Amino acid sequence: MIKIGLLGFDFKAPNKGCEALSYAFIEMLSDISNESMEIHVFSYGELGDIPRQYPKFSFVWHRLNMKNPIFLIKMKQVFDDCKCVFDITYGDGFSDIYGKKWNIKTDLIKQMVIWSGTPLVLVPQTYGPYNNLVLKKWAMRLIRKADLVYSRDNLSAKVIKEQSGVEIKVGSDMAFKLPYDRTKYKIDNERINIGINVSSLLWDSQWAKENHFGLTVDYKQYHIKILEWLIEQSKYKIHIIPHVIDLEQPNARENDYRVCLQLKKKYGDKIEIAPPFNTPIEAKSYIANMDVFIGSRMHATIGSISSGVATIPFSYSRKFEGLFGNLEYPYVISARNFSLEEALEKSKSWIQNYEILKGCGQKSVVESYAKLELLENDIRCLLEKRK
């Protein structure tokens, strides 16, 4: 039985985007190999529903405890026994933008894989940006030592080439291949269905108050004005759709569903609130019923465009421009460069001409699948060599 390790994957978390990467990767492994695998998952959250959905794999969960020397020794022993270890750093965590301590922890785990001599595979993710020079140098060293490195966008690949001298491969976000079933939800099609994903991170978190991401578009005003413009026109049915859902801590700042309920209280029957999803597959299945989708959580927009919906990503980070630019999809609200008026004007125009966006998105998805096939082939070859 092949043993592999997974780092930076969330199997059960409030953030359905992080979960989406995990579901999509296991789906990819299922397509790549018919052999049974023992998959060792190193994470803070439990395994959730994935073991039940993929019974041909054996899953072993190791709860991360980086302060415990005994755990570190055990983790190193598991790495020694694995054929290879795959890391995704939660999609965009290969950076110090979420804090130095967090960055040090995630890099230390990768460093331990390298010390073990087991091949380290960095699957498609965003690299950087870095503000700390020491952490940047460490990151570039890890990339140079990895056996296979994939970016999910050309921009990250360019940055890595300039800063490390390594020419890495460019894939796409694995969540494009997340399965879904739009028939799971019964959505009335008498009107044009508009889905809006509001991010609590940008709505009222401490980072939002401090404008940590340097937005030039007032996030709340943008959404309030778009909502009220849509409400004025009877042809639209508005759905507010969460993508980070924490029912155990409903007042948590990182809980989109909390903001959804605030908007429902404000607008009542003029808007519809999507149910609190248990899995990213449920979220994508609901989003797939929309005609147009505006999203601030990047994986919500990936779920949208990859299910054939006209998509307007609201970008608060270069990971959006990197990913969608890589797929030649230009209909992105660059909220660090646009004014509020420009963002509203473009959004209204794109909504009114959503069929154009839909057509462009379909071409982008084909391009994404082609890039992910290259990744699948490389992983297949790596696993074959390591038998």
Side-chain angles (χ1 to χ4, degrees):
M1 180 183 289
I2 298 175
K3 292 184 181 180
I4 65 170
L6 299 187
L7 304 176
F9 287 84
D10 259 333
F11 279 41
K12 185 179 180 181
N15 192 320
K16 300 307 163 193
C18 291
E19 283 187 2
L21 290 169
S22 301
Y23 275 80
F25 184 69
I26 299 301
E27 184 78 15
M28 185 180 293
L29 286 180
S30 184
D31 291 339
I32 288 171
S33 176
N34 291 320
E35 294 188 49
S36 59
M37 291 187 190
E38 186 175 286
I39 301 175
H40 291 261
V41 181
F42 293 86
S43 67
Y44 293 101
E46 297 179 3
L47 296 180
D49 199 43
I50 283 185
R52 185 187 65 79
Q53 293 208 25
Y54 298 93
K56 78 175 186 178
F57 296 138
S58 173
F59 293 89
V60 182
W61 177 50
H62 305 271
R63 182 178 178 82
L64 282 171
N65 185 357
M66 300 301 288
K67 295 181 180 180
N68 186 336
I70 295 175
F71 173 79
L72 295 177
I73 292 170
K74 181 182 176 182
M75 182 166 63
K76 172 69 164 50
Q77 290 172 341
V78 174
F79 290 160
D80 289 342
D81 209 26
C82 285
K83 295 298 183 184
C84 56
V85 176
F86 298 90
D87 172 86
I88 198 168
T89 329
Y90 309 96
D92 66 346
F94 211 127
S95 167
D96 62 6
I97 62 171
Y98 296 117
K100 295 177 184 177
K101 289 183 180 179
W102 173 255
N103 188 207
I104 289 169
K105 286 180 182 179
T106 56
D107 280 0
L108 178 58
I109 302 172
K110 291 189 254 295
Q111 186 67 63
M112 290 180 67
V113 178
I114 291 169
W115 285 334
S116 75
T118 299
L120 174 63
V121 178
L122 302 176
V123 294
Q125 56 189 289
T126 300
Y127 299 96
Y130 281 93
N131 296 311
N132 183 282
L133 184 59
V134 173
L135 292 177
K136 181 194 287 186
K137 287 184 176 180
W138 189 9
M140 297 308 113
R141 179 176 174 79
L142 291 171
I143 289 168
R144 284 194 292 267
K145 292 289 185 178
D147 291 74
L148 179 63
V149 184
Y150 264 89
S151 165
R152 62 183 176 187
D153 61 85
N154 288 315
L155 182 56
S156 285
K158 180 182 177 183
V159 169
I160 296 306
K161 173 68 173 176
E162 292 172 350
Q163 296 179 357
S164 74
V166 177
E167 192 160 338
I168 65 176
K169 296 189 175 185
V170 179
S172 189
D173 195 289
M174 295 186 300
F176 273 91
K177 301 202 79 171
L178 181 72
Y180 66 99
D181 177 11
R182 61 166 50 89
T183 64
K184 181 177 178 63
Y185 298 96
K186 294 181 179 179
I187 306 293
D188 187 353
N189 290 318
E190 288 185 6
R191 289 186 284 172
I192 298 171
N193 287 296
I194 309 284
I196 299 179
N197 160 239
V198 180
S199 166
S200 58
L201 178 70
L202 303 177
W203 187 264
D204 61 4
S205 72
Q206 189 61 36
W207 278 9
K209 294 172 183 175
E210 297 170 357
N211 196 16
H212 178 83
F213 296 105
L215 301 189
T216 54
V217 176
D218 185 308
Y219 189 76
K220 281 189 177 181
Q221 282 300 306
Y222 169 82
H223 283 86
I224 288 170
K225 288 183 180 296
I226 279 290
L227 275 171
E228 293 179 350
W229 177 75
L230 291 168
I231 288 169
E232 287 174 0
Q233 303 171 71
S234 59
K235 64 180 178 179
Y236 297 119
K237 174 70 175 178
I238 305 163
H239 303 255
I240 308 299
I241 305 175
H243 212 251
V244 174
I245 302 159
D246 194 341
L247 297 182
E248 294 181 4
Q249 301 181 72
N251 293 320
R253 283 297 172 190
E254 270 289 296
N255 180 19
D256 296 351
Y257 196 63
R258 172 181 57 81
V259 179
C260 292
L261 294 177
Q262 289 178 14
L263 291 170
K264 181 65 174 176
K265 185 177 180 180
K266 180 179 177 68
Y267 294 107
D269 293 339
K270 296 175 183 177
I271 62 174
E272 186 83 19
I273 302 297
F277 310 114
N278 292 311
T279 70
I281 293 175
E282 290 181 4
K284 185 172 181 178
S285 298
Y286 189 98
I287 291 170
N289 286 279
M290 300 297 105
D291 295 297
V292 184
F293 183 80
I294 303 173
S296 311
R297 298 287 187 179
M298 193 174 79
H299 283 99
T301 63
I302 291 172
S304 170
I305 195 170
S306 62
S307 58
V309 178
T311 304
I312 303 173
F314 185 99
S315 168
Y316 66 89
S317 161
R318 73 170 173 85
K319 65 182 180 180
F320 282 82
E321 282 84 2
L323 177 73
F324 288 101
N326 192 35
L327 301 175
E328 297 183 4
Y329 187 80
Y331 303 103
V332 177
I333 298 298
S334 296
R336 296 180 301 157
N337 298 304
F338 289 1
S339 65
L340 174 61
E341 292 72 23
E342 188 178 5
L344 289 168
E345 181 183 347
K346 285 184 179 292
S347 297
K348 291 175 184 178
S349 174
W350 293 342
I351 290 170
Q352 291 168 331
N353 297 281
Y354 73 90
E355 290 290 353
I356 296 175
L357 278 68
K358 185 176 179 178
C360 183
Q362 290 170 345
K363 294 177 183 177
S364 296
V365 173
V366 171
E367 179 69 17
S368 175
Y369 280 6
K371 292 176 183 294
L372 289 173
E373 281 183 17
L374 298 176
L375 171 67
E376 289 180 8
N377 289 334
D378 279 346
I379 292 176
R380 187 179 291 109
C381 290
L382 182 63
L383 293 176
E384 288 290 329
K385 287 179 182 178
R386 297 294 296 178
K387 284 185 179 179

